[in-house]
Amino acid sequence: MKASGSVWFGYAVAVAVTFVVGILAFSIFVLSKVFGSSAPEEKPPAAPQALSSPSTSSTPRIVKPTPAGTMAVQTVKANRRQLILIVATPTGCAQKVQAVPYAEGAGAVAVRITQRTYRGGCRWKAEPVLVTAKAPINGRTLLLNGVPWTIGADGEYEEALRTATS
């Protein structure tokens, strides 16, 4: 029976040590909150602001996907499933301009055109982007970022809905 008594004594010592370590950890936590550093609390990062000119500071670039505006549409004669979209993109302020068809039907092809911009206030340039549909285009209506484009009188694609000032 003497052996069982020493086992209980060992358990009691382990429980007491664990209790003391817990009390010390809690005390240190409370003291660090009360007498901690005078540094201000962490605040959420501020929203990115557009810069009007290129800066040489070492701030990280914040890249966000934005829709790209379409200026013109050209068909590819060698491949009836492909189109070349001429999009407006800011020079030196955007990357990865891409066009992805996301829906196709018998009468229309919907295409999402995006670019990753990381700064504003840049000059615009025209950049060609190739897009390939699943089936031949054959004069179907194009929905480019929600804007319809149809075949005009000259056989070229033009924006279907224009304002009176355009």
Side-chain angles (χ1 to χ4, degrees), residues 81 99-104 109-113 130-134 143:
R81 295 180 16 208
V100 178
Y102 64 93
E104 285 191 44
V109 178
V111 179
R112 184 176 296 118
I113 309 155
L130 182 68
V131 63
T132 304
K134 292 180 183 176
L143 291 171

Side-chain angles (χ1 to χ4, degrees), residues 6-65:
S6 64
V7 170
W8 285 110
F9 179 74
Y11 286 138
V13 169
V15 169
V17 168
T18 304
F19 181 74
V20 170
V21 168
I23 292 292
L24 285 174
F26 181 71
S27 299
I28 291 171
F29 173 75
V30 169
L31 291 173
S32 70
K33 290 299 179 183
V34 172
F35 300 108
S37 67
S38 61
E41 292 183 14
E42 292 183 26
K43 295 180 182 176
Q49 296 181 1
L51 301 174
S52 60
S53 63
S55 69
T56 58
S57 67
S58 61
T59 59
R61 291 194 242 181
I62 298 174
V63 180
K64 58 181 178 177

Side-chain angles (χ1 to χ4, degrees), residues 80-147:
R80 295 179 28 214
R81 295 180 16 208
Q82 292 183 330
L83 296 168
I84 296 175
L85 307 176
I86 309 300
V87 298
T89 183
T91 304
C93 299
Q95 59 189 5
K96 291 192 178 187
V97 179
Q98 61 183 4
V100 178
Y102 64 93
E104 285 191 44
V109 178
V111 179
R112 184 176 296 118
I113 309 155
T114 59
Q115 59 192 346
R116 296 174 67 190
T117 58
Y118 52 86
R119 184 175 60 216
C122 297
R123 288 189 289 152
W124 293 88
K125 70 173 182 173
E127 186 171 324
V129 179
L130 182 68
V131 63
T132 304
K134 292 180 183 176
I137 302 297
N138 292 338
R140 292 190 281 176
T141 299
L142 303 175
L143 291 171
L144 307 176
N145 286 347
V147 178

